[in-house]
Amino acid sequence: MNINGLDHFTIRTPKLVETLLFYQVILGLKLGWRPQFGFPGHWLYASNKPILHLVEAGDQALDAYLGKAETFMARDVLTICRFVARIYTRCSSIYASRG
């Protein structure tokens, strides 16, 4: 599966290392350059373009920079897998219905 439709998408996660490994190993994204923001995180690249930002949930510097998270927060890698599987299933059915 090639990822080419995200652009500076941010995921806050309490399991930064595990989430990073998921996107690298399962989806094939590459770890790349990231500015120093003062809070833990990684930028992941596809085709030399930064498309996904992972940040450590609960960090005070992050909350000061982005605001507190009031929406979806990945609880663990399994949650992320389920989320990706739902997207893939929906996209596959849409694609199949168009012939």
Side-chain angles (χ1 to χ4, degrees), residues 23 50 55 66 71 93:
Y23 282 101
V55 292
L66 291 180
T71 58
S93 64

Side-chain angles (χ1 to χ4, degrees), residues 7-40:
D7 190 9
H8 292 279
F9 188 82
T10 300
I11 293 178
R12 295 179 193 222
T13 176
K15 296 186 176 185
L16 188 58
V17 173
E18 294 91 336
T19 306
L20 173 64
L21 289 173
F22 169 80
Y23 282 101
Q24 287 180 298
V25 174
I26 303 300
L27 298 182
L29 298 180
K30 305 294 182 201
L31 185 61
W33 179 84
R34 176 183 180 260
Q36 293 294 330
F37 287 110
F39 49 85

Side-chain angles (χ1 to χ4, degrees), residues 68-89:
K68 290 195 174 197
E70 302 294 336
T71 58
F72 173 81
M73 182 190 315
R75 297 281 179 213
D76 55 28
V77 173
L78 182 58
T79 301
I80 295 167
C81 288
R82 288 179 183 151
F83 175 70
V84 171
R86 283 195 310 266
I87 291 172
Y88 179 78
T89 301

